[in-house]
Amino acid sequence: LREQAGRGELLQPLLFVLLVLCSVLLLLAVSLMDPGFVRPEEEEEEAGEAGGQGLGIPQAPGAVKLRRCGYCLVKQPMRARHCQLCQRCVRRYDHHCPWIENCVGERNHPLFIAYLSVQLVVLLWGGHVAWSGLDFQQSWEWLQHNILLLMSFLLIVIFTTVVLLLLVSHLYLISCNTTTWEFMSHHRISYLRHSELENPFDQGIILNLWRFFC
């Protein structure tokens, strides 16, 4: 990138900087936005059903009664869960992410996927740049001059692996119209445990992806 900038070829360096900036903005957006906190019951009734099923999720089966949260005392919609760290119930709760210090839920889950995607591109590009600067030689002097670059490359490889696994796992769960919490705790969730179907929300891969992203 530095050599390209020195030759006046600014397109790729500028694109790389824009991707990094986009990644930071997405991180801030996902971290600071409301993930889909459940409002008090009075506000919930005023909002109506249209605001409660934003992803086209089927209504709760008749045998499953919606319960009141024992922590914040709001009536939990189906697929909502109370987060002990946020101290709020979150609609279509997926998980609490320590990277962003926020829950991933109904409202910010698509942006979280966008953040992971952009971050993966930045890491792959950064890994390529770091690798291109490594000209391996078996000497102590070479190691002294390249130790920081080598450590950076190894860190990039680790983070790339983590982000790739996260992105692939989330895309798989989205294609099945399930969440991380539902996938990990299927046997403890009443509306899944009492359902005749293994996943009552699955409407096919294409429709699941369409409803999630569009």
Side-chain angles (χ1 to χ4, degrees):
L1 292 175
R2 185 173 56 188
E3 291 177 357
Q4 289 174 332
R7 295 195 302 266
E9 301 173 0
L10 298 178
L11 180 59
Q12 290 192 23
L14 182 60
L15 181 59
F16 182 80
V17 172
L18 289 177
L19 281 174
V20 173
L21 179 61
C22 180
S23 174
V24 173
L25 292 177
L26 284 171
L27 173 62
L28 292 175
V30 175
S31 301
L32 299 177
M33 74 180 297
D34 177 359
F37 292 128
V38 180
R39 295 170 291 175
E41 187 175 357
E42 294 79 14
E43 298 178 12
E44 192 69 29
E45 292 175 352
E46 294 176 0
E49 292 182 359
Q53 298 294 335
L55 294 176
I57 299 166
Q59 299 291 331
V64 179
K65 295 183 179 180
L66 303 184
R67 67 183 185 90
R68 190 175 296 277
C69 176
Y71 296 97
C72 54
L73 302 179
V74 298
K75 185 174 288 186
Q76 284 186 336
M78 190 166 52
R79 310 192 81 177
R81 183 176 186 267
H82 185 86
C83 175
Q84 297 283 5
L85 296 175
C86 293
Q87 294 298 310
R88 301 281 296 277
C89 285
V90 181
R91 290 181 177 276
R92 201 179 184 275
Y93 175 87
D94 189 89
H95 70 288
H96 185 93
C97 180
W99 285 21
I100 64 175
E101 282 298 323
N102 194 12
C103 282
V104 176
E106 184 179 74
R107 294 190 62 188
N108 66 348
H109 201 169
L111 272 182
F112 182 73
I113 298 300
Y115 164 67
L116 289 179
S117 302
V118 174
Q119 189 65 52
L120 181 61
V121 173
V122 171
L123 286 168
L124 289 172
W125 197 342
H128 171 71
V129 172
W131 178 261
S132 66
L134 289 172
D135 182 18
F136 290 99
Q137 299 177 11
Q138 294 182 354
S139 68
W140 177 248
E141 183 180 357
W142 178 89
L143 184 61
Q144 284 182 316
H145 285 86
N146 292 272
I147 185 64
L148 290 179
L149 184 58
L150 185 60
M151 291 178 62
S152 299
F153 176 75
L154 293 176
L155 283 175
I156 289 175
V157 170
I158 294 173
F159 286 126
T160 300
T161 303
V162 172
V163 172
L164 179 62
L165 291 175
L166 270 175
L167 182 59
V168 170
S169 63
H170 274 277
L171 290 176
Y172 169 75
L173 293 176
I174 291 167
S175 68
C176 299
N177 198 357
T178 189
T179 64
T180 302
W181 173 57
E182 291 171 342
F183 181 78
M184 300 295 292
S185 307
H186 188 279
H187 62 288
R188 296 195 293 114
I189 301 174
S190 58
Y191 59 80
L192 295 179
R193 189 173 66 248
H194 297 141
S195 174
E196 297 179 357
L197 301 174
E198 183 177 355
N199 180 9
F201 306 108
D202 188 6
Q203 298 175 307
I205 294 177
I206 296 178
L207 190 56
N208 290 339
L209 294 173
W210 174 266
R211 290 190 181 279
F212 182 85
F213 288 107
C214 305

